[in-house]
Amino acid sequence: MTAAAHRRPLRFGLSLAPDTAAPLLRIAQDADRFGLDYLGVRDQPYRRGTADAPTLMATVLAATSRIRVLPAVACLPLRPPAVLAKAIATMDRSSGGRVVLGLGAGTCWDGVEDYGGSRLGAAAARRALEEAVQVIRLHWSDQHGLRFQGEHYRLAASQAGPAPEAQIALWLGVTGPRSLGLAGRVADGWIAPSSLVPPKRLADGQRLLDDAALRAGRSPGDIRRVYVLEGSLDGRGSRGFLHGPPRQWVYELTELAVGHGVDSFLFGGDPEQLPAFALEVVPAVREQVARERAATTRANRALNGTRDTPHNGPANGFQNRSPHHTLNTRTTQG
């Protein structure tokens, strides 16, 4: 499926490091006040000086009114899936349905072991992630007599629940080919950090995701594409991908949306730069993407013979862009 074929509404948010030295609640309230859609809380319980992600999520939900909150992503090796499912469903019900679950297979295995978790190889971690998705969704079904027996997790509950307000979106933060296949089969969204999935790798990731979804009988367009923007937004001039002034970010995010099919962006830079992102970059990207999508629609209509006016220029709407400014040849910094 092409990037243009996805065309989901754009969403924007913040990826927040839960550093206890930072004014975390104020930052979250600012994100809500600025009109952002998502607040992703990084879950790194083994790191010194970090707040507990689920506890912080519950606090933020109680102190905000509209923003959706998620662990980005939950540290599965230290979060038993049935208990995590109950916590997420409880937050969802108490907030009026403002919770998403971001889930990963695990990383920083030394830290996981230090906190009592088990180190897993890549294949075992992937199998554990797949089992966790099954356990979580089974728990959310609120059925009686739940039974699940897997290699890594088991569930034998006479009655689970509570059921969430509505179906909670489950996004997977994965990067490997087989894990992307899993996301295509079972996930509602894919979370990709820019440091691990730079633009030149996005096309391959999207293809793997789409192919797996189609094989599973799903529409690839039902899977949200979430990109974590790990960079610096300032006025010091361009220093590479996602390191530069707002006008550079507007160009690069527009290219990611129109050219690469990304529909959701989480700002992972310094929270002090959040106002510039939310109040300058976000509205400009929305406007530019709408303009270029409209141009593409007009071009397609012309090609299909539904309009008499010929379309001059590329259908992707980038004819006025500098040929020297392209995402495809860049590498991620920092």
Side-chain angles (χ1 to χ4, degrees):
M1 179 172 287
T2 65
H6 291 125
R7 287 208 169 188
R8 296 174 65 102
L10 292 182
R11 298 289 182 263
F12 296 88
L14 171 67
S15 174
L16 180 63
D19 183 352
T20 54
L24 298 173
L25 188 57
R26 178 184 65 76
I27 294 169
Q29 290 173 323
D30 284 347
D32 187 50
R33 180 167 54 88
F34 292 154
L36 294 181
D37 302 291
Y38 296 115
L39 176 73
V41 179
R42 302 175 205 173
D43 187 20
Q44 301 164 322
Y46 40 77
R47 288 190 57 194
R48 179 180 176 86
T50 59
D52 177 67
T55 304
L56 178 58
M57 287 173 57
T59 303
V60 167
L61 287 165
T64 56
S65 60
R66 54 170 304 281
I67 199 166
R68 293 177 178 270
V69 180
L70 66 143
V73 291
C75 180
L76 180 60
L78 295 176
R79 307 284 184 191
V83 177
L84 179 62
K86 181 179 283 288
I88 293 295
T90 301
M91 284 186 270
D92 186 74
R93 291 172 66 92
S94 65
S95 66
R98 290 194 288 129
V99 178
V100 175
L101 176 56
L103 199 59
T107 185
C108 298
W109 292 104
D110 289 344
V112 168
E113 285 188 321
D114 289 345
Y115 265 63
S118 299
R119 182 185 296 267
L120 298 176
R126 185 174 61 253
R127 292 194 298 271
L129 177 61
E130 184 168 12
E131 289 182 12
V133 171
Q134 296 178 67
V135 169
I136 289 167
R137 286 189 166 145
L138 189 62
H139 195 282
W140 286 343
S141 71
D142 202 24
Q143 299 174 13
H144 295 277
L146 301 179
R147 293 289 185 274
F148 178 86
Q149 182 66 53
E151 176 186 356
H152 299 278
Y153 300 112
R154 60 180 294 273
L155 178 65
S158 58
Q159 185 173 358
E165 285 280 307
Q167 181 177 330
I168 297 175
L170 199 158
W171 300 347
L172 295 187
V174 294
T175 57
R178 291 183 176 85
S179 296
L180 282 165
L182 171 64
R185 294 194 306 275
V186 305
D188 303 302
W190 172 40
I191 304 175
S194 63
S195 59
L196 298 178
V197 188
K200 62 183 180 181
R201 288 190 56 197
L202 264 176
D204 289 340
Q206 300 275 37
R207 177 180 52 79
L208 290 167
L209 197 69
D210 291 352
D211 288 349
L214 290 170
R215 287 195 300 271
R218 307 180 65 201
S219 169
D222 292 339
I223 303 173
R224 186 164 285 281
R225 321 295 166 118
V226 186
Y227 203 57
V228 182
L229 306 165
E230 299 167 312
S232 179
L233 175 59
D234 54 52
R236 291 189 291 154
S238 177
R239 304 179 307 283
F241 179 57
L242 295 180
H243 286 75
R247 64 180 180 276
Q248 175 186 329
W249 278 64
V250 171
Y251 171 85
E252 291 176 338
L253 269 59
T254 300
E255 175 79 2
L256 288 164
V258 176
H260 293 270
V262 176
D263 55 56
S264 303
F265 299 94
L266 300 183
F267 178 68
D270 187 338
E272 291 296 320
Q273 299 167 356
L274 182 61
F277 175 76
L279 303 179
E280 295 181 49
V281 173
V282 169
V285 172
R286 288 191 191 278
E287 180 180 353
Q288 185 65 21
V289 169
R291 184 181 300 120
E292 298 197 10
R293 285 178 172 177
T296 301
T297 299
R298 289 194 299 270
N300 289 336
R301 286 174 178 170
L303 290 172
N304 292 332
T306 58
R307 294 287 297 272
D308 295 331
T309 304
H311 176 75
N312 297 318
N316 62 9
F318 290 104
Q319 60 267 32
N320 294 323
R321 299 193 177 172
S322 166
H324 304 295
H325 196 168
T326 174
L327 296 182
N328 295 329
T329 58
R330 296 189 177 192
T331 56
T332 303
Q333 297 183 5

